[in-house]
Amino acid sequence: WIFSRPRMAATWLLQAIDPRTGQLLQDPTRGLLPPNDAQGHGAGFVSYTIQPRDGLPTGTPIAAAARLHFDTLPPEDTVTLVHTLDAHARKSNDHR
């Protein structure tokens, strides 16, 4: 994966390599995942963790989105997820 600090973006490039030749696979039926179907066979995911910059105030929105490129298909954009930063330490009223 590649991290770009100015854009605050991470990029993954996943490519299928033919184990016999070491060349990129061009056959879409022999990729990293099988074709997707109604049962989700062929679905994949990438996970990551971020740490917000020091000093950001409570209420700062942190957004995440992705653009997926598969073979010769047009790019697909995911829904943007927005989380709101809570910069305060948790407090407990439990005085057992």
Side-chain angles (χ1 to χ4, degrees):
W1 68 278
I2 300 167
F3 177 72
S4 170
R5 186 167 292 283
R7 292 184 46 220
M8 302 304 286
T11 302
W12 288 262
L13 175 61
L14 306 174
Q15 296 177 311
I17 308 272
D18 187 320
R20 291 177 293 123
T21 66
Q23 300 296 314
L24 288 177
L25 285 174
Q26 301 299 322
D27 181 350
T29 65
R30 294 185 55 218
L32 296 171
L33 299 169
N36 207 3
D37 61 20
Q39 289 74 40
H41 301 110
F45 68 93
V46 173
S47 62
Y48 62 94
T49 301
I50 65 161
Q51 181 69 36
R53 287 182 284 210
D54 289 336
L56 291 176
T58 291
T60 299
I62 298 176
R67 173 167 286 166
L68 309 172
H69 299 264
F70 291 105
D71 301 320
T72 59
L73 300 174
E76 289 183 47
D77 291 330
T78 65
V79 175
T80 299
L81 300 175
V82 179
H83 297 275
T84 303
L85 184 63
D86 180 357
H88 299 292
R90 298 276 184 228
K91 295 180 182 176
S92 173
N93 293 326
D94 187 3
H95 301 286
R96 289 185 222 185

